[in-house]
């Protein structure tokens, strides 16, 4: 990402994206909304797609990361996640769908206006058909230029310095960090290559890791970490969330 300057994370932009306060912040279109088991239930009430939507305030030209968990209730239709741009005639910024019984949608979008509307919906054809949605975060992110399109969420405040090659160097990682929210793309099953430039003159610390970390602790699951230690690069793997680890390199 070739821009330059100080960049601060947006925090969570979606109101009630975990549906902890019922349907607050969400509006039904051709649908009645309710919650069950901490998930949003979208029930069809009229012809057309059964939709739950919310309009967000965004910054034009910035990149945002989105993730949605969805599952069929009684719907015979398709699960959908759609983001529309409020600055260019409701141009579609992101459109993903799945006919599976459950799906995790991940992606990124860049608005041209100051608002964007997220729509969670299903294409059931009979009244009262339902689909369920949960965990809907949208946050400012560094764009992923690969075909995967999964941006890195900015947490805290970092500095981005443009490089002559068109890329950027990031600094300020004392407490701030970039985060790749979970997606199935992170479930590696074969050989893994890690390529990048690392300033080994920096202080000791983690460069990046793949692990499950929540509520201040690692879960006892498989993980790996690339870190700086004593002026060199160390690669560690673990089967128990870094309670113990093995050094592969360093």
């Amino acid at each position: 990402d070739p821009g330059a300057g100080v960049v601060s994370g947006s925090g969570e932009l979606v109101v009630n994206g975990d549906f902890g306060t019922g349907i607050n912040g969400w509006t039904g279109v051709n649908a009645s909304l309710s919650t069950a088991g901490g998930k949003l239930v979208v029930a069809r009430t009229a012809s057309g797609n059964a939709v739950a939507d919310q309009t967000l305030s965004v910054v034009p030209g910035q990149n945002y990361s989105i993730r949605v968990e969805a599952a069929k209730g009684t719907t015979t239709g398709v699960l959908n996640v759609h983001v529309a741009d409020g600055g260019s005639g409701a141009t579609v910024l992101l459109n993903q769908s799945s006919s599976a019984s459950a799906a995790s949608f991940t992606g990124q979008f860049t608005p041209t206006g100051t608002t964007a509307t997220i729509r969670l919906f299903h294409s059931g054809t009979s009244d009262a058909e339902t689909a369920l949605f949960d965990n809907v975060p949208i946050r400012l992110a560094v764009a992923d230029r690969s075909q995967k399109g999964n941006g890195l969420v900015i947490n805290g405040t970092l500095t981005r310095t443009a490089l002559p090659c068109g890329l950027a160097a990031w600094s300020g990682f004392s407490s701030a960090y970039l985060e790749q929210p979970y997606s199935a793309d992170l479930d590696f099953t074969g050989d893994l290559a890690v390529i990048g430039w690392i300033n080994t003159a920096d202080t000791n610390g983690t460069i990046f890791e793949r692990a499950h970390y929540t509520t201040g602790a690692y879960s006892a699951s498989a993980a790996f970490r690339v870190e700086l230690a004593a002026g060199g690069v160390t690669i560690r793997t673990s089967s128990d969330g870094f309670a113990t680890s093995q050094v592969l390199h360093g």
Side-chain angles (χ1 to χ4, degrees):
D1 207 21
V6 175
V7 183
S8 295
S10 65
E12 181 52 63
L13 298 179
V14 177
V15 175
N16 190 30
D18 62 359
F19 306 103
T21 57
I23 63 171
N24 176 50
W26 296 89
T27 301
V29 179
N30 303 326
S32 65
L33 307 183
S34 61
T35 57
K39 302 178 187 297
L40 176 68
V41 180
V42 181
R44 185 179 186 269
T45 59
S47 61
N49 294 323
V51 181
D53 69 19
Q54 183 176 142
T55 297
L56 316 171
S57 295
V58 291
V59 178
Q62 297 283 5
N63 188 76
Y64 294 88
S65 169
I66 180 174
R67 181 172 186 268
V68 179
E69 295 177 7
K72 291 184 178 180
T74 60
T75 185
T76 56
V78 174
L79 302 168
N80 294 267
V81 173
H82 178 281
V83 180
D85 192 0
S88 56
T91 297
V92 175
L93 300 172
L94 180 141
N95 190 15
Q96 297 185 4
S97 63
S98 174
S99 59
S101 60
S104 292
F105 299 102
T106 58
Q108 60 186 2
F109 63 91
T110 303
T112 64
T114 58
T115 61
T117 298
I118 175 175
R119 297 187 175 100
L120 315 176
F121 64 95
H122 66 92
S123 58
T125 57
S126 300
D127 286 355
E129 287 190 14
T130 61
L132 293 80
F133 299 90
D134 198 11
N135 298 326
V136 187
I138 294 180
R139 292 179 286 174
L140 187 66
V142 182
D144 179 0
R145 307 301 182 184
S146 77
Q147 63 178 350
K148 298 297 184 181
N150 294 325
L152 293 172
V153 173
I154 301 167
N155 293 273
T157 298
L158 295 167
T159 299
R160 182 170 54 191
T161 303
L163 300 176
C165 60
L167 300 177
W170 290 82
S171 59
F173 291 101
S174 58
S175 60
Y177 58 97
L178 300 173
E179 175 189 7
Q180 170 65 81
Y182 172 76
S183 76
D185 294 331
L186 295 173
D187 293 337
F188 308 115
T189 57
D191 293 339
L192 170 67
V194 177
I195 302 172
W197 297 292
I198 299 171
N199 180 6
T200 57
D202 206 347
T203 56
N204 295 347
T206 298
I207 300 169
F208 72 89
E209 65 186 18
R210 165 72 168 96
H212 184 261
Y213 185 86
T214 184
T215 60
Y218 292 98
S219 66
S221 57
F224 72 88
R225 176 186 292 156
V226 178
E227 61 188 20
L228 284 176
V233 177
T234 298
I235 302 175
R236 295 182 182 274
T237 63
S238 175
S239 60
D240 54 15
F242 297 118
T244 61
S245 64
Q246 301 78 45
V247 176
L248 297 184
H249 173 80

